[in-house]
Amino acid sequence: MKKLLVCVLALAMVLSMGASALAFEPVPKEEIKVGFVYIGDISDGGYTMAHHNGTLAMQEALGLSDDQIIIKRNVPETSDCEIALMELIEQGCDIIFGISFGYMEYMADLAEQYPDVIFSHCSGYMSNDTNFNNYFGRIYEARYLTGIAAGLRTENNHLGYVAAMQTPECIYSMNAYFLGARSVNPDVTMDVTFTNTWYDPTIERQAAIALLDRGVDVLAQHQDTTNPVAAAEERGVWACGYNADMTEAGPNAHLTAPIWDWGAYLTDAVQKVIDGTWTSENVLMGMSEGMVDISPLTKNVAEGTAEAIEAARASILDGSFGVFVGPIYDNEGNLRVEEGQTLTPEEILAIDWYVEGITLV
């Protein structure tokens, strides 16, 4: 964890430095080839589907043909990733997007070997100053808003959260969600279980059921599929999905979900490759840039939810509120954010502690 934290802090420094001075030569639009490595299938109803929707939005916005988009699906975070990346390189891709955290080191190694190919990695912290960057969003803004929906909806003040990995991305996300819930309901607590996988429908479902067996009545997730929402639907309780609108998986359970518009970044990145202006700048976009938001509130939300969420949204967008505002204590009783202090995006990216009221089970 310490090594990871150092790397995340290094990312924060890069984010503040801006773009590299180096750029690639323009690529004619009719000649460009864009590669993608997906961890799941586009039918997962969540993470991969959301990323694929961004791919399609980029393709349409730029007027690229189908044969200019090359996609490798269901690629695990193993040496299979390197194989998929090599195939994209051999097929002549000018830029390759890898959408899962575990692809990072494979992409970093190949970026050194193939300096004429651009590698853009989602959610990681490694990059170089030539042909390898990373991109992500201030998803904690949307997480906070969905937490408001959960805090107002719960009847027993017992929330549950199915998380993938013990990485800062997952930790600050659940913290933001829980802070949103406590902003409208200071009595809530939250049980968290880690699956140690980003994408495994069976394990995600098992973890959700284990939390439901503990009596939680609102379930949230940092997982790729709709299975936790479906489990909540079966138990007759509520859920907040992730990545995309998951109402179809739980029409009587789903409240809302933090969602991504990956096309906001993909379109800009590929256009820069075409223009010859792409540089290895790391990207962190939020609600104001259109990358993150929440899905439409469903009929299942409590009265007053829309008004509370819109008030919080407005304060985030106008900069008067920053989600992580002190005082904030961790679940071991330590003061982590002083009263009057607001964590910066760089500080949020390095969070490795859990907010008071969160229990790991």
Side-chain angles (χ1 to χ4, degrees), residues 120-155:
S120 194
H121 177 244
C122 181
S123 79
Y125 52 81
M126 297 178 69
S127 62
N128 62 26
D129 61 358
T130 53
N131 66 327
F132 178 40
N133 81 327
N134 59 75
Y135 65 97
F136 205 56
R138 299 189 299 275
I139 193 63
Y140 50 84
E141 296 173 345
R143 286 282 188 191
Y144 186 90
L145 299 184
T146 59
I148 291 174
L152 292 173
R153 179 71 279 179
T154 181
E155 293 181 350

mmCIF file of all heavy atoms in Angstrom, residues 120-155:
data_model
loop_
_atom_site.group_PDB
_atom_site.id
_atom_site.type_symbol
_atom_site.label_atom_id
_atom_site.label_comp_id
_atom_site.label_asym_id
_atom_site.label_seq_id
_atom_site.Cartn_x
_atom_site.Cartn_y
_atom_site.Cartn_z
ATOM 1 N N SER A 120 -3.055 4.876 -23.627
ATOM 2 C CA SER A 120 -3.846 5.675 -22.688
ATOM 3 C C SER A 120 -4.570 4.721 -21.751
ATOM 4 O O SER A 120 -5.391 3.904 -22.186
ATOM 5 C CB SER A 120 -4.841 6.562 -23.446
ATOM 6 O OG SER A 120 -5.382 7.558 -22.616
ATOM 7 N N HIS A 121 -4.260 4.815 -20.463
ATOM 8 C CA HIS A 121 -4.729 3.841 -19.480
ATOM 9 C C HIS A 121 -5.742 4.462 -18.538
ATOM 10 O O HIS A 121 -5.545 5.567 -18.042
ATOM 11 C CB HIS A 121 -3.541 3.301 -18.677
ATOM 12 C CG HIS A 121 -3.939 2.353 -17.596
ATOM 13 N ND1 HIS A 121 -3.739 2.621 -16.262
ATOM 14 C CD2 HIS A 121 -4.548 1.148 -17.656
ATOM 15 C CE1 HIS A 121 -4.195 1.596 -15.551
ATOM 16 N NE2 HIS A 121 -4.691 0.699 -16.372
ATOM 17 N N CYS A 122 -6.814 3.741 -18.273
ATOM 18 C CA CYS A 122 -7.876 4.230 -17.403
ATOM 19 C C CYS A 122 -7.647 3.797 -15.959
ATOM 20 O O CYS A 122 -7.412 2.616 -15.695
ATOM 21 C CB CYS A 122 -9.224 3.691 -17.886
ATOM 22 S SG CYS A 122 -10.619 4.241 -16.894
ATOM 23 N N SER A 123 -7.688 4.744 -15.049
ATOM 24 C CA SER A 123 -7.766 4.544 -13.600
ATOM 25 C C SER A 123 -6.447 4.287 -12.900
ATOM 26 O O SER A 123 -6.416 4.119 -11.686
ATOM 27 C CB SER A 123 -8.744 3.415 -13.237
ATOM 28 O OG SER A 123 -8.177 2.130 -13.428
ATOM 29 N N GLY A 124 -5.347 4.258 -13.623
ATOM 30 C CA GLY A 124 -4.085 3.960 -12.970
ATOM 31 C C GLY A 124 -3.332 5.193 -12.519
ATOM 32 O O GLY A 124 -3.878 6.288 -12.433
ATOM 33 N N TYR A 125 -2.031 5.000 -12.243
ATOM 34 C CA TYR A 125 -1.215 6.113 -11.772
ATOM 35 C C TYR A 125 0.123 6.223 -12.508
ATOM 36 O O TYR A 125 0.871 7.171 -12.292
ATOM 37 C CB TYR A 125 -0.946 5.993 -10.267
ATOM 38 C CG TYR A 125 -0.379 4.663 -9.832
ATOM 39 C CD1 TYR A 125 0.976 4.378 -9.964
ATOM 40 C CD2 TYR A 125 -1.214 3.694 -9.287
ATOM 41 C CE1 TYR A 125 1.493 3.164 -9.566
ATOM 42 C CE2 TYR A 125 -0.710 2.469 -8.887
ATOM 43 C CZ TYR A 125 0.642 2.201 -9.027
ATOM 44 O OH TYR A 125 1.147 0.982 -8.644
ATOM 45 N N MET A 126 0.438 5.265 -13.387
ATOM 46 C CA MET A 126 1.699 5.320 -14.110
ATOM 47 C C MET A 126 1.534 6.088 -15.412
ATOM 48 O O MET A 126 0.463 6.080 -16.028
ATOM 49 C CB MET A 126 2.207 3.904 -14.394
ATOM 50 C CG MET A 126 2.532 3.107 -13.155
ATOM 51 S SD MET A 126 3.070 1.409 -13.519
ATOM 52 C CE MET A 126 4.663 1.721 -14.278
ATOM 53 N N SER A 127 2.620 6.737 -15.860
ATOM 54 C CA SER A 127 2.631 7.450 -17.131
ATOM 55 C C SER A 127 4.084 7.759 -17.464
ATOM 56 O O SER A 127 4.978 7.537 -16.655
ATOM 57 C CB SER A 127 1.810 8.746 -17.050
ATOM 58 O OG SER A 127 2.365 9.628 -16.091
ATOM 59 N N ASN A 128 4.322 8.274 -18.669
ATOM 60 C CA ASN A 128 5.645 8.792 -18.989
ATOM 61 C C ASN A 128 5.462 10.152 -19.668
ATOM 62 O O ASN A 128 4.344 10.651 -19.762
ATOM 63 C CB ASN A 128 6.458 7.811 -19.854
ATOM 64 C CG ASN A 128 5.820 7.543 -21.206
ATOM 65 O OD1 ASN A 128 5.073 8.361 -21.741
ATOM 66 N ND2 ASN A 128 6.114 6.379 -21.779
ATOM 67 N N ASP A 129 6.523 10.745 -20.129
ATOM 68 C CA ASP A 129 6.408 12.090 -20.695
ATOM 69 C C ASP A 129 6.372 12.078 -22.214
ATOM 70 O O ASP A 129 6.584 13.103 -22.849
ATOM 71 C CB ASP A 129 7.555 12.983 -20.196
ATOM 72 C CG ASP A 129 8.926 12.451 -20.598
ATOM 73 O OD1 ASP A 129 8.989 11.366 -21.233
ATOM 74 O OD2 ASP A 129 9.932 13.120 -20.289
ATOM 75 N N THR A 130 6.090 10.899 -22.784
ATOM 76 C CA THR A 130 6.081 10.814 -24.243
ATOM 77 C C THR A 130 4.810 10.199 -24.805
ATOM 78 O O THR A 130 4.017 10.892 -25.456
ATOM 79 C CB THR A 130 7.301 10.003 -24.737
ATOM 80 O OG1 THR A 130 7.331 8.739 -24.051
ATOM 81 C CG2 THR A 130 8.601 10.751 -24.482
ATOM 82 N N ASN A 131 4.564 8.907 -24.535
ATOM 83 C CA ASN A 131 3.476 8.212 -25.233
ATOM 84 C C ASN A 131 2.557 7.403 -24.326
ATOM 85 O O ASN A 131 1.846 6.508 -24.792
ATOM 86 C CB ASN A 131 4.065 7.281 -26.302
ATOM 87 C CG ASN A 131 4.877 6.133 -25.705
ATOM 88 O OD1 ASN A 131 5.520 6.292 -24.662
ATOM 89 N ND2 ASN A 131 4.862 4.987 -26.359
ATOM 90 N N PHE A 132 2.560 7.703 -23.030
ATOM 91 C CA PHE A 132 1.761 6.913 -22.082
ATOM 92 C C PHE A 132 1.160 7.847 -21.040
ATOM 93 O O PHE A 132 1.885 8.533 -20.326
ATOM 94 C CB PHE A 132 2.664 5.861 -21.431
ATOM 95 C CG PHE A 132 1.993 4.997 -20.386
ATOM 96 C CD1 PHE A 132 0.701 4.532 -20.548
ATOM 97 C CD2 PHE A 132 2.690 4.638 -19.235
ATOM 98 C CE1 PHE A 132 0.098 3.735 -19.582
ATOM 99 C CE2 PHE A 132 2.102 3.831 -18.269
ATOM 100 C CZ PHE A 132 0.807 3.381 -18.448
ATOM 101 N N ASN A 133 -0.180 7.880 -20.982
ATOM 102 C CA ASN A 133 -0.853 8.708 -19.980
ATOM 103 C C ASN A 133 -1.955 7.904 -19.307
ATOM 104 O O ASN A 133 -2.197 6.735 -19.642
ATOM 105 C CB ASN A 133 -1.429 9.977 -20.610
ATOM 106 C CG ASN A 133 -2.769 9.744 -21.295
ATOM 107 O OD1 ASN A 133 -3.017 8.669 -21.851
ATOM 108 N ND2 ASN A 133 -3.627 10.733 -21.280
ATOM 109 N N ASN A 134 -2.595 8.500 -18.350
ATOM 110 C CA ASN A 134 -3.760 7.877 -17.739
ATOM 111 C C ASN A 134 -4.906 8.870 -17.662
ATOM 112 O O ASN A 134 -4.702 10.080 -17.689
ATOM 113 C CB ASN A 134 -3.437 7.278 -16.369
ATOM 114 C CG ASN A 134 -2.905 8.297 -15.395
ATOM 115 O OD1 ASN A 134 -3.661 9.108 -14.880
ATOM 116 N ND2 ASN A 134 -1.601 8.282 -15.143
ATOM 117 N N TYR A 135 -6.112 8.312 -17.588
ATOM 118 C CA TYR A 135 -7.306 9.153 -17.527
ATOM 119 C C TYR A 135 -8.307 8.563 -16.541
ATOM 120 O O TYR A 135 -8.405 7.348 -16.386
ATOM 121 C CB TYR A 135 -7.937 9.319 -18.913
ATOM 122 C CG TYR A 135 -8.482 8.041 -19.537
ATOM 123 C CD1 TYR A 135 -9.833 7.709 -19.455
ATOM 124 C CD2 TYR A 135 -7.645 7.171 -20.252
ATOM 125 C CE1 TYR A 135 -10.336 6.550 -20.049
ATOM 126 C CE2 TYR A 135 -8.135 6.017 -20.839
ATOM 127 C CZ TYR A 135 -9.486 5.712 -20.735
ATOM 128 O OH TYR A 135 -9.972 4.562 -21.313
ATOM 129 N N PHE A 136 -9.014 9.437 -15.878
ATOM 130 C CA PHE A 136 -10.068 9.031 -14.957
ATOM 131 C C PHE A 136 -10.935 10.250 -14.673
ATOM 132 O O PHE A 136 -10.769 11.304 -15.304
ATOM 133 C CB PHE A 136 -9.466 8.454 -13.665
ATOM 134 C CG PHE A 136 -10.399 7.507 -12.951
ATOM 135 C CD1 PHE A 136 -10.909 6.396 -13.602
ATOM 136 C CD2 PHE A 136 -10.763 7.706 -11.630
ATOM 137 C CE1 PHE A 136 -11.763 5.515 -12.958
ATOM 138 C CE2 PHE A 136 -11.611 6.835 -10.972
ATOM 139 C CZ PHE A 136 -12.106 5.734 -11.645
ATOM 140 N N GLY A 137 -11.858 10.107 -13.751
ATOM 141 C CA GLY A 137 -12.767 11.205 -13.448
ATOM 142 C C GLY A 137 -12.951 11.397 -11.961
ATOM 143 O O GLY A 137 -12.641 10.508 -11.160
ATOM 144 N N ARG A 138 -13.478 12.549 -11.606
ATOM 145 C CA ARG A 138 -13.774 12.837 -10.199
ATOM 146 C C ARG A 138 -15.092 12.156 -9.830
ATOM 147 O O ARG A 138 -16.099 12.806 -9.521
ATOM 148 C CB ARG A 138 -13.830 14.350 -9.981
ATOM 149 C CG ARG A 138 -12.522 15.061 -10.292
ATOM 150 C CD ARG A 138 -12.527 16.514 -9.854
ATOM 151 N NE ARG A 138 -13.549 17.314 -10.494
ATOM 152 C CZ ARG A 138 -13.444 17.908 -11.687
ATOM 153 N NH1 ARG A 138 -12.326 17.762 -12.396
ATOM 154 N NH2 ARG A 138 -14.426 18.624 -12.189
ATOM 155 N N ILE A 139 -15.052 10.838 -9.855
ATOM 156 C CA ILE A 139 -16.273 10.063 -9.620
ATOM 157 C C ILE A 139 -16.801 10.263 -8.205
ATOM 158 O O ILE A 139 -17.985 10.041 -7.932
ATOM 159 C CB ILE A 139 -16.015 8.562 -9.914
ATOM 160 C CG1 ILE A 139 -17.328 7.778 -9.996
ATOM 161 C CG2 ILE A 139 -15.051 7.967 -8.895
ATOM 162 C CD1 ILE A 139 -18.239 8.206 -11.117
ATOM 163 N N TYR A 140 -15.923 10.717 -7.301
ATOM 164 C CA TYR A 140 -16.376 10.956 -5.931
ATOM 165 C C TYR A 140 -17.457 12.035 -5.881
ATOM 166 O O TYR A 140 -18.268 12.063 -4.944
ATOM 167 C CB TYR A 140 -15.192 11.321 -5.029
ATOM 168 C CG TYR A 140 -14.291 12.409 -5.540
ATOM 169 C CD1 TYR A 140 -14.577 13.745 -5.343
ATOM 170 C CD2 TYR A 140 -13.116 12.084 -6.226
ATOM 171 C CE1 TYR A 140 -13.739 14.746 -5.824
ATOM 172 C CE2 TYR A 140 -12.270 13.069 -6.705
ATOM 173 C CZ TYR A 140 -12.588 14.398 -6.503
ATOM 174 O OH TYR A 140 -11.752 15.383 -6.972
ATOM 175 N N GLU A 141 -17.517 12.917 -6.861
ATOM 176 C CA GLU A 141 -18.589 13.916 -6.896
ATOM 177 C C GLU A 141 -19.946 13.233 -7.076
ATOM 178 O O GLU A 141 -20.909 13.527 -6.358
ATOM 179 C CB GLU A 141 -18.337 14.907 -8.036
ATOM 180 C CG GLU A 141 -17.079 15.730 -7.870
ATOM 181 C CD GLU A 141 -16.749 16.576 -9.084
ATOM 182 O OE1 GLU A 141 -17.323 16.326 -10.176
ATOM 183 O OE2 GLU A 141 -15.917 17.495 -8.962
ATOM 184 N N ALA A 142 -20.018 12.326 -8.037
ATOM 185 C CA ALA A 142 -21.264 11.593 -8.276
ATOM 186 C C ALA A 142 -21.559 10.611 -7.150
ATOM 187 O O ALA A 142 -22.717 10.407 -6.772
ATOM 188 C CB ALA A 142 -21.175 10.859 -9.614
ATOM 189 N N ARG A 143 -20.523 9.998 -6.590
ATOM 190 C CA ARG A 143 -20.715 9.077 -5.460
ATOM 191 C C ARG A 143 -21.398 9.798 -4.292
ATOM 192 O O ARG A 143 -22.294 9.246 -3.642
ATOM 193 C CB ARG A 143 -19.361 8.533 -4.996
ATOM 194 C CG ARG A 143 -18.741 7.496 -5.900
ATOM 195 C CD ARG A 143 -19.373 6.143 -5.722
ATOM 196 N NE ARG A 143 -18.640 5.117 -6.455
ATOM 197 C CZ ARG A 143 -19.092 3.894 -6.635
ATOM 198 N NH1 ARG A 143 -20.270 3.533 -6.154
ATOM 199 N NH2 ARG A 143 -18.382 3.003 -7.309
ATOM 200 N N TYR A 144 -20.947 11.004 -4.016
ATOM 201 C CA TYR A 144 -21.533 11.771 -2.919
ATOM 202 C C TYR A 144 -23.032 11.967 -3.148
ATOM 203 O O TYR A 144 -23.838 11.807 -2.216
ATOM 204 C CB TYR A 144 -20.830 13.123 -2.803
ATOM 205 C CG TYR A 144 -21.254 13.958 -1.617
ATOM 206 C CD1 TYR A 144 -20.602 13.846 -0.397
ATOM 207 C CD2 TYR A 144 -22.307 14.875 -1.711
ATOM 208 C CE1 TYR A 144 -20.984 14.613 0.702
ATOM 209 C CE2 TYR A 144 -22.694 15.645 -0.628
ATOM 210 C CZ TYR A 144 -22.030 15.510 0.568
ATOM 211 O OH TYR A 144 -22.415 16.277 1.652
ATOM 212 N N LEU A 145 -23.413 12.282 -4.367
ATOM 213 C CA LEU A 145 -24.825 12.512 -4.665
ATOM 214 C C LEU A 145 -25.649 11.239 -4.494
ATOM 215 O O LEU A 145 -26.767 11.288 -3.957
ATOM 216 C CB LEU A 145 -24.975 13.050 -6.084
ATOM 217 C CG LEU A 145 -24.283 14.380 -6.399
ATOM 218 C CD1 LEU A 145 -24.619 14.831 -7.819
ATOM 219 C CD2 LEU A 145 -24.659 15.462 -5.396
ATOM 220 N N THR A 146 -25.119 10.092 -4.927
ATOM 221 C CA THR A 146 -25.868 8.852 -4.747
ATOM 222 C C THR A 146 -25.961 8.478 -3.273
ATOM 223 O O THR A 146 -26.949 7.860 -2.842
ATOM 224 C CB THR A 146 -25.243 7.695 -5.542
ATOM 225 O OG1 THR A 146 -23.890 7.489 -5.120
ATOM 226 C CG2 THR A 146 -25.251 7.991 -7.026
ATOM 227 N N GLY A 147 -24.947 8.861 -2.502
ATOM 228 C CA GLY A 147 -25.024 8.622 -1.063
ATOM 229 C C GLY A 147 -26.176 9.361 -0.421
ATOM 230 O O GLY A 147 -26.807 8.858 0.526
ATOM 231 N N ILE A 148 -26.474 10.544 -0.909
ATOM 232 C CA ILE A 148 -27.632 11.290 -0.406
ATOM 233 C C ILE A 148 -28.907 10.486 -0.625
ATOM 234 O O ILE A 148 -29.757 10.375 0.271
ATOM 235 C CB ILE A 148 -27.720 12.661 -1.099
ATOM 236 C CG1 ILE A 148 -26.564 13.561 -0.651
ATOM 237 C CG2 ILE A 148 -29.067 13.334 -0.816
ATOM 238 C CD1 ILE A 148 -26.480 14.878 -1.399
ATOM 239 N N ALA A 149 -29.034 9.900 -1.806
ATOM 240 C CA ALA A 149 -30.214 9.078 -2.091
ATOM 241 C C ALA A 149 -30.306 7.899 -1.131
ATOM 242 O O ALA A 149 -31.397 7.552 -0.638
ATOM 243 C CB ALA A 149 -30.170 8.582 -3.536
ATOM 244 N N ALA A 150 -29.154 7.276 -0.827
ATOM 245 C CA ALA A 150 -29.140 6.133 0.086
ATOM 246 C C ALA A 150 -29.480 6.552 1.504
ATOM 247 O O ALA A 150 -30.261 5.881 2.202
ATOM 248 C CB ALA A 150 -27.779 5.460 0.050
ATOM 249 N N GLY A 151 -28.907 7.659 1.956
ATOM 250 C CA GLY A 151 -29.152 8.111 3.320
ATOM 251 C C GLY A 151 -30.595 8.480 3.581
ATOM 252 O O GLY A 151 -31.112 8.280 4.697
ATOM 253 N N LEU A 152 -31.268 8.994 2.583
ATOM 254 C CA LEU A 152 -32.670 9.350 2.731
ATOM 255 C C LEU A 152 -33.592 8.144 2.578
ATOM 256 O O LEU A 152 -34.706 8.151 3.116
ATOM 257 C CB LEU A 152 -33.055 10.427 1.707
ATOM 258 C CG LEU A 152 -32.423 11.808 1.926
ATOM 259 C CD1 LEU A 152 -32.744 12.733 0.758
ATOM 260 C CD2 LEU A 152 -32.921 12.427 3.240
ATOM 261 N N ARG A 153 -33.148 7.118 1.873
ATOM 262 C CA ARG A 153 -34.003 5.964 1.608
ATOM 263 C C ARG A 153 -33.963 4.897 2.707
ATOM 264 O O ARG A 153 -34.969 4.231 2.974
ATOM 265 C CB ARG A 153 -33.581 5.329 0.283
ATOM 266 C CG ARG A 153 -34.359 4.090 -0.160
ATOM 267 C CD ARG A 153 -35.781 4.393 -0.591
ATOM 268 N NE ARG A 153 -36.691 4.526 0.562
ATOM 269 C CZ ARG A 153 -37.984 4.807 0.456
ATOM 270 N NH1 ARG A 153 -38.529 5.016 -0.735
ATOM 271 N NH2 ARG A 153 -38.732 4.898 1.528
ATOM 272 N N THR A 154 -32.801 4.699 3.341
ATOM 273 C CA THR A 154 -32.678 3.617 4.314
ATOM 274 C C THR A 154 -33.704 3.739 5.434
ATOM 275 O O THR A 154 -34.013 4.835 5.897
ATOM 276 C CB THR A 154 -31.264 3.573 4.913
ATOM 277 O OG1 THR A 154 -31.184 2.487 5.854
ATOM 278 C CG2 THR A 154 -30.895 4.870 5.608
ATOM 279 N N GLU A 155 -34.190 2.584 5.892
ATOM 280 C CA GLU A 155 -35.136 2.559 7.002
ATOM 281 C C GLU A 155 -34.480 2.075 8.289
ATOM 282 O O GLU A 155 -34.983 2.368 9.378
ATOM 283 C CB GLU A 155 -36.324 1.659 6.641
ATOM 284 C CG GLU A 155 -37.174 2.229 5.505
ATOM 285 C CD GLU A 155 -38.366 1.347 5.164
ATOM 286 O OE1 GLU A 155 -38.424 0.200 5.670
ATOM 287 O OE2 GLU A 155 -39.229 1.792 4.394
#
